[in-house]
Amino acid sequence: MFEGPLQDLIDELSRLPGVGPKSAQRIAFHLLKEDPEDVDRLRAALAAVRDGVTFCRICNNVSREDVCRICADSGRDKSTVCVVEDAKDIQVIERTGEYSGRYHVLGGALDPLANVGPKDLAIAPLLQRIGGVLPDLDGAEAPAVSEVILATDPDTEGEATASYLVRLLKDFPDLTISRLASGMPLGGDLEFVDELTLSRALTGRLKL
Ligand SMILES: [Zn+2]
């Protein structure tokens, strides 16, 4: 244990995902030696991410505005919605260049062991969106969604989430539900799937 602010910083850093106590200590000591300007820049970036980032009211993507860039893009197909766990998954799918629809960010996956249930995810807004309840841009009527692609991670939690969503989405008789095709590495995170595999999984998606 160190004294005062240094230990506070180490404690805070240790709470970040992927940062263990050793890394936290290393980062803290590194910051201690950094130029004040560099530390100020980091502080400004931290403040900006808290105050300057909001969530798109249509798809729950991280956004600077009330509506994210993808939802605001009239060139994108509004009838197809790709459901992902996290906003970072959008970047991964965008990189394939295979997808021109919209997204819906759940904010995680069902995980009973970590106490993450349906209410902790943006599932209700997804259903409202498909049901045409959520107003689109400028309060216009929500566009009809004809296909939902379930692109949750190919791991246990992601599969459980997809199965759960399929059960709910079956209530919409005209909706096509599809899941990313096989060939995805099992147990993985969408983030680490290479572009080619992901492209193939998207184009060869399976109707459920
Ligand atoms: Zn959006």
Side-chain angles (χ1 to χ4, degrees):
M1 289 289 278
F2 298 92
E3 279 182 37
L6 182 60
Q7 187 60 43
D8 292 345
L9 178 60
I10 293 171
D11 291 345
E12 288 306 317
L13 290 169
S14 311
R15 290 174 45 227
L16 301 176
V19 182
K22 278 211 173 114
S23 310
Q25 231 179 71
R26 210 160 44 228
I27 297 169
F29 275 97
H30 172 79
L31 291 171
L32 212 54
K33 285 185 295 191
E34 282 272 271
D35 285 338
E37 302 94 82
D38 291 335
V39 178
D40 281 343
R41 255 204 328 277
L42 178 63
R43 182 171 32 201
L46 286 171
V49 80
R50 190 190 53 208
D51 304 331
V53 174
T54 178
F55 295 91
C56 172
R57 70 176 159 85
I58 297 174
C59 74
N60 199 33
N61 186 11
V62 287
S63 174
R64 275 189 116 123
E65 315 285 334
D66 189 31
V67 170
C68 79
R69 225 180 298 167
I70 292 174
C71 289
D73 183 348
S74 58
R76 297 193 68 120
D77 174 15
K78 297 178 175 185
S79 68
T80 309
V81 172
C82 181
V83 178
V84 293
E85 290 182 18
D86 297 303
K88 62 183 163 52
D89 298 330
I90 292 181
Q91 310 303 321
V92 183
I93 293 175
E94 286 296 287
R95 252 183 274 138
T96 67
E98 279 301 330
Y99 184 67
S100 60
R102 287 184 174 187
Y103 293 93
H104 189 86
V105 180
L106 293 172
L110 294 176
D111 187 356
L113 294 178
N115 277 324
V116 181
K119 287 202 170 64
D120 302 306
L121 305 176
I123 291 176
L126 172 68
L127 300 178
Q128 288 176 338
R129 195 175 163 189
I130 294 164
V133 178
L134 278 193
D136 199 43
L137 289 175
D138 308 322
E141 222 170 280
V145 175
S146 58
E147 180 177 3
V148 168
I149 304 169
L150 300 170
T152 47
D153 286 345
D155 58 10
T156 317
E157 293 80 22
E159 291 300 340
T161 309
S163 312
Y164 180 81
L165 289 175
V166 168
R167 283 206 301 279
L168 296 176
L169 294 172
K170 289 281 184 198
D171 285 346
F172 301 93
D174 299 327
L175 187 70
T176 300
I177 310 163
S178 54
R179 176 88 175 109
L180 291 185
S182 55
M184 299 272 283
L186 288 179
D189 190 315
L190 209 61
E191 208 184 340
F192 304 119
V193 178
D194 68 277
E195 280 169 39
L196 188 63
T197 307
L198 195 53
S199 292
R200 287 200 189 122
L202 258 174
T203 43
R205 61 186 181 265
L206 307 166
K207 304 258 186 293
L208 300 173

